[in-house]
Amino acid sequence: MAIYRQIHVSFWQDPFVLDLTPEEKYFYIYLMTNSKTNQIGIYEIPKKIMEIELGYSIDRVSILLNKFISYKKILFSESKNELMLLNWCKYNWSSSPKVISLVNKELKNVKTLAFARNYVEQAKSQGHKTDSLSIEYLYSIHTESQEELELKEELEEELPQEEKEKSSSFDIHTFFQTSICQENPIVMEGIEKWVEDTDVQVVKKAIEIGARNNKTSYAYVDGILRNWVSRNLTTIEKVNAAEQAFEKQKANSSQSKKGNGRKEELPNWFDNPEVLPPQQAEPEQKETPEETARKVAEMKRKLKEARA
């Protein structure tokens, strides 16, 4: 029997999805449609499987998982290789007896009890009838592991990611570490300085570009920010406008090449820290007749002295 996962057409108009990069959209759809998904949105999937099916490295899979954990869209248990889609219950609930039976069966197979409990609590909070769920075992005496306690703390956090980015500089450091690499005191200080000189959203944009280009060093992000500041792109509005203008220029160049057959290369300055603005050449100073005469006289004098 064929198994299908449906995605509503409104998915593409969702404000969260609209802000994702193409790579993030691809990864998000994968999480909802891969062969391990089930009725409750809690399933076991090793990173190795994601690596093979997505064509990404293990490191890239880890970065993307951490991104969606920070976006409050998923939870992932490293020890059990178990993933939970946090909004799955909201969009995939059914009161059909057959579906409820399947939900019961799948809940009993969940290895991370914090995930199963969260699913049931979501169903209750959304007004769904949970009387028919066999959930007593979820709330029986159970010694929670350290990882489950940490996951429980994550589930209790309510502050949206966007608000946390605005209210605390700590989040930009977390975002950098999950996207690029671990920080040291020098990198931390550098990021703080960039946040002060520009804006946290500008720094976040530079980090996203670094992650998108598979860069794993602060130097690349620092170079992008230096490039932008040299062009006076110090607000997210200016950066976005420059990016749109650059993409339009590339599109026009591509159309031009198709029309005349000529190859025209555009410098990828927007996300390349090595391409800096062209320097203005110093205007050539013209020599006055008096200066020319003085130089000629000096040369004659030196020549006469040499012959003497």
Side-chain angles (χ1 to χ4, degrees), residues 256-304:
S256 176
K257 285 189 289 184
K258 289 180 181 179
N260 54 36
R262 291 186 303 172
K263 186 175 182 180
E264 180 186 356
E265 294 293 340
L266 288 172
N268 190 14
W269 66 264
F270 182 78
D271 57 0
N272 189 341
E274 298 180 359
V275 182
L276 296 174
Q279 299 294 323
Q280 293 292 331
E282 292 291 334
E284 185 179 352
Q285 299 291 332
K286 292 186 177 181
E287 199 174 71
T288 64
E290 292 78 8
E291 290 174 336
T292 302
R294 185 167 60 254
K295 287 183 179 180
V296 171
E298 181 67 17
M299 291 175 64
K300 287 181 178 179
R301 184 184 66 78
K302 289 182 178 181
L303 182 61
K304 185 176 181 180

Side-chain angles (χ1 to χ4, degrees), residues 230-246:
S230 71
R231 300 171 188 272
N232 195 33
L233 304 178
T234 54
T235 67
I236 191 62
E237 291 78 15
K238 289 181 179 180
V239 169
N240 288 338
E243 182 178 30
Q244 291 174 6
F246 181 72

